[in-house]
Amino acid sequence: MIEIKNLTKEYVQGRSRIAALKDVTLTLGEGMTAIVGTSGAGKSTLLHVLSGMEPFERGSVTIDDVPIAGLSEKEMAAFRNRNIGMVMQQYSLIPDFSVLENVWLPLTFSEKRCPRSERLELAKQAVRTVGIEELTGRPVDTLSGGQMQRVAIARAIVNSPRYLFADEPTGALDGENTEKVLEVFRKIAEGGVCVLIVTHDMHVAGCCRRIVRLEDGRLVRS
Ligand SMILES: Nc1ncnc2c1ncn2[C@@H]1O[C@H](COP(=O)(O)OP(=O)(O)OP(=O)(O)O)[C@@H](O)[C@H]1O
Ligand SMILES: [Mg+2]
């Protein structure tokens, strides 16, 4: 469970400060939750804060009873690797690595350190789950946007995270592939994972158990 209390996050830009999240209080549990709101509302910022990639000024964020602000950078990286899968808005894949190499990367950083053959099998399984097994050996910079999006999802789920944060995971997909990705998320959520999906697509939001709306950094409905 994620408990967010009075969270305020500001970015410093030269001499000015931009408040991206303002006094947000929210509890997030199992299942699929959509995060919606206009461009600039703070949706990506919220995911970045929850995954410990951005610091915050005020309030608290507790994940499974761990106050994340108290973790060092190294501890946060280990916590993230263990518990959180991220699908970033810009995919953040390694361009000249193959699909399989990108997907298995988190396993090579994992503390679990399973044998190479097991890691390979887990990576292949994640690639199968998102339905891109025919692309396994391709360098990711030769793929379409929708294909890259699914590589990013496979990489996010390869470690069986308890939390999956996805930023516009269906933004580059057509209707058919959107359904496939939603099915993947549904399956993962049924396994007790907390899935947060930032989306502009009201159909995707409608498939979620709960919709959280941000407006200009504030929570307006949940
Ligand atoms: N690294 C940064 N430095 C300074 N300001 C930033 C930074 N990242 C985001 N912001 C600002 O914080 C606010 C929230 O941005 P954020 O990216 O969270 O919005 P968003 O809801 O994800 O928008 P979109 O739907 O366009 O992706 C915006 O005003 C944005 O300009
Ligand atoms: Mg965003």
Side-chain angles (χ1 to χ4, degrees):
M1 182 144 84
I2 301 178
E3 284 190 281
I4 304 165
K5 284 197 188 133
N6 306 108
L7 172 66
T8 294
K9 159 76 189 166
E10 292 174 348
Y11 292 106
V12 179
Q13 278 256 289
R15 289 176 152 235
S16 61
R17 287 170 170 274
I18 301 162
L21 294 172
K22 301 169 187 165
D23 202 27
V24 173
T25 295
L26 180 65
T27 300
L28 298 162
E30 285 180 16
M32 300 211 301
T33 298
I35 300 170
V36 302
T38 51
S39 182
K43 306 180 297 297
S44 297
T45 300
L46 181 62
L47 294 193
H48 294 160
V49 167
L50 295 184
S51 58
M53 289 155 62
E54 280 286 351
F56 53 93
E57 284 64 47
R58 283 190 294 285
S60 64
V61 175
T62 310
I63 303 181
D64 289 343
D65 294 325
V66 177
I68 61 167
L71 301 178
S72 69
E73 216 167 292
K74 205 174 156 194
E75 287 166 338
M76 189 65 230
F79 183 82
R80 189 163 49 231
N81 187 274
R82 217 167 29 240
N83 300 297
I84 301 172
M86 287 278 291
V87 182
M88 311 280 281
Q89 202 164 5
Q90 305 81 3
Y91 313 138
S92 305
L93 299 170
I94 301 183
D96 50 350
F97 275 29
S98 74
V99 168
L100 199 65
E101 286 165 339
N102 267 281
V103 171
W104 94 340
L105 208 58
L107 296 172
T108 63
F109 294 128
S110 172
E111 294 163 330
K112 280 183 252 160
R113 283 260 159 229
C114 53
R116 193 188 149 86
S117 58
E118 206 173 305
R119 278 185 273 156
L120 193 62
E121 198 38 55
L122 287 172
K124 283 185 180 164
Q125 208 175 308
V127 165
R128 272 197 300 276
T129 303
V130 298
I132 50 169
E133 48 280 56
E134 73 281 5
L135 304 173
T136 302
R138 286 263 296 271
V140 293
D141 55 2
T142 67
L143 303 181
S144 73
Q147 291 168 333
M148 284 193 221
Q149 204 144 38
R150 281 183 286 165
V151 178
I153 294 168
R155 186 185 54 184
I157 62 176
V158 74
N159 251 344
S160 307
R162 292 171 46 71
Y163 297 91
L164 180 60
F165 302 157
D167 204 342
E168 288 286 352
T170 60
L173 302 181
D174 59 19
E176 193 184 326
N177 285 311
T178 294
E179 289 308 321
K180 279 188 200 158
V181 164
L182 278 172
E183 197 45 47
V184 171
F185 286 157
R186 245 182 240 125
K187 251 190 258 161
I188 291 169
E190 278 166 12
V193 173
C194 164
V195 181
L196 303 186
I197 306 173
V198 168
T199 187
H200 284 112
D201 182 337
M202 280 305 135
H203 168 67
V204 172
C207 291
C208 294
R209 191 172 56 93
R210 181 178 175 198
I211 299 178
V212 166
R213 181 176 294 277
L214 287 174
E215 253 175 42
D216 192 24
R218 285 187 197 281
L219 187 68
V220 290
R221 199 184 76 202
S222 79

